[in-house]
Amino acid sequence: MSDHSINIRYLSQEDLIEAGCFDFPTCLKAAEEALVRFKNGGILFPDKTVQIFKEETQERINILPATLLKEQINGLKNVSVFPMNPRTYGTQNLSATILLSKIDKGYPVCVMDGTLVSNIRVACVGATAAKYLSRKDSETIGFIGSGIQARNTLLGMKSVRPSLKVCKVSSQFDYEEKDFIDTMQPLLPDMKFIACGTNNEKAARESDIVCTAVSCQAPLLKAAWIDTKAGVFYNHIGGWEDEVENVLQADKLVTDSWHVVKHRGQTACLAYKQGLIDDNFVYCDLVDIVDGTRPGRENDREYIYFTATGLSYIDIMLANTMYEKAAAKGIGTVLPLQAMGEFEHDLVGKIVL
């Protein structure tokens, strides 16, 4: 008789952390590899499905598939984005689950937390951009926003720019800045942290790297705060969080995917829809710098603007990397999805007609 059993490995966020998956060098390498592989046809990446429940707040659940052809792994990411959660419920605004399946038989092999994966992907893409586009001697990083994305991004940035010595943070409330510093100082004891007292300008001015990591839709970062001749690298995370003029004054506009960015509600998209920029204004996509097609930073005076929408095939690459690491260590819970085919069970008295 054929074996019809199917088992899956369940990996919680705690399992992933225990397995050592909070590993930025490994994740950065995987993110770069994913970018290049997709460009070269090694990853299948169909359109996502989006269900929006409140237009005004963009509360939504997205379903995003991708297939890694080399690994013969299909991944399906189910991610909810509810921007009002922090203010309404005091909880995170994003949660995700990832299902991995082998495409030899099509059977699922893993169900795992996708929130950690998503957050690390955001950090790794921004940090990869910083690796090629920020000044190598960057010492000061300034954040507008102090949540999970800001914290992960700081870790990613520090991984590629160990020269960073000072981190300034501005948030909507003083206590949010304090919480950010209290959390990050023990993780990065060699850095000096400065709370900006909710003053966004203080966080941005004289920072070598500027990051906006907020969920609101408002021009919090003013173009006048950027010294465009000081070699600033701006990592734009999210939607419309800076003035459109900030895009226009950039020496280079780099995206994770301009094809995606120009149709999404980000600042660069607004500039495009308003006719202020066209396709020729965009320097290139990040992958073209990673694979050497285009140079990255060419001098210490360029102001470079990077914006990303998020490419979920990178999440699937990271998820599979984490799954393999956890499975090799025997971490997680192996659960039976089915022990046998349904008609191999004793069904007498158990079927309702």
Side-chain angles (χ1 to χ4, degrees), residues 113-344:
D113 165 63
T115 306
L116 179 67
V117 176
S118 292
N119 290 332
I120 290 182
R121 184 259 307 154
V122 171
C124 283
V125 172
T128 298
K131 173 182 172 181
Y132 294 97
L133 300 174
S134 68
R135 293 197 336 265
K136 292 182 179 179
D137 64 349
S138 298
E139 294 188 353
T140 302
I141 185 168
F143 281 92
I144 296 175
S146 61
I148 298 297
Q149 300 289 17
R151 299 172 196 208
N152 279 290
T153 295
L154 176 57
L155 295 173
M157 293 291 182
K158 183 66 172 174
S159 184
V160 300
R161 283 287 174 262
S163 58
L164 288 171
K165 299 177 181 177
V166 178
C167 176
K168 299 184 289 182
V169 58
S170 173
S171 195
Q172 188 173 3
F173 302 104
D174 288 327
Y175 72 83
E176 293 174 330
E177 298 175 7
K178 181 179 184 302
D179 186 56
F180 176 93
I181 294 172
D182 288 346
T183 300
M184 302 308 295
Q185 184 73 78
L187 301 177
L188 299 170
D190 63 326
M191 290 196 74
K192 177 182 178 181
F193 287 85
I194 298 173
C196 294
T198 73
N199 186 329
N200 294 336
E201 181 176 359
K202 184 177 178 181
R205 283 198 183 274
E206 299 180 0
S207 290
D208 303 311
I209 297 174
V210 176
C211 300
T212 49
V214 295
S215 59
C216 67
Q217 300 292 301
L220 300 181
L221 176 65
K222 307 301 181 185
W225 300 344
I226 301 294
D227 184 346
T228 58
K229 300 303 179 184
V232 175
F233 169 67
Y234 171 42
N235 182 41
H236 176 284
I237 306 170
W240 171 51
E241 56 220 37
D242 60 318
E243 292 181 327
V244 170
E245 290 77 12
N246 199 28
V247 176
L248 306 182
Q249 68 184 1
D251 294 304
K252 287 176 179 170
L253 171 62
V254 179
T255 67
D256 62 346
S257 170
W258 176 239
H259 172 73
V260 178
V261 168
K262 68 181 179 180
H263 299 299
R264 295 281 291 274
Q266 295 179 304
T267 313
C269 173
L270 293 178
Y272 176 75
K273 289 183 174 180
Q274 292 171 9
L276 301 173
I277 65 172
D278 59 15
D279 294 341
N280 294 322
F281 184 87
V282 183
Y283 179 66
C284 68
D285 287 340
L286 179 59
V287 66
D288 298 321
I289 297 171
V290 171
D291 72 3
T293 301
R294 301 293 300 273
R297 174 172 289 276
E298 296 179 270
N299 63 68
D300 286 343
R301 293 177 63 79
E302 287 181 302
Y303 170 44
I304 302 180
Y305 185 120
F306 175 71
T307 184
T309 57
L311 301 169
S312 60
Y313 65 81
I314 302 177
D315 296 68
I316 302 308
M317 177 72 89
L318 293 176
N320 189 58
T321 300
M322 294 181 183
Y323 159 65
E324 290 181 341
K325 191 169 190 175
K329 295 181 177 181
I331 292 174
T333 304
V334 177
L335 300 171
L337 197 61
Q338 66 178 48
M340 59 188 75
E342 64 236 58
F343 284 97
E344 296 171 354

Side-chain angles (χ1 to χ4, degrees), residues 37-73:
R37 272 216 235 159
F38 175 69
K39 180 180 179 179
N40 294 332
I43 296 177
L44 305 180
F45 186 45
D47 291 339
K48 66 181 178 180
T49 299
V50 181
Q51 296 181 85
I52 299 175
F53 308 111
K54 288 187 179 180
E55 286 287 348
E56 63 274 18
T57 56
Q58 287 293 293
E59 295 177 13
R60 62 197 184 275
I61 292 179
N62 301 340
I63 301 170
L64 309 104
T67 299
L68 313 177
L69 295 177
K70 178 181 177 182
E71 292 81 2
Q72 293 286 282
I73 282 285

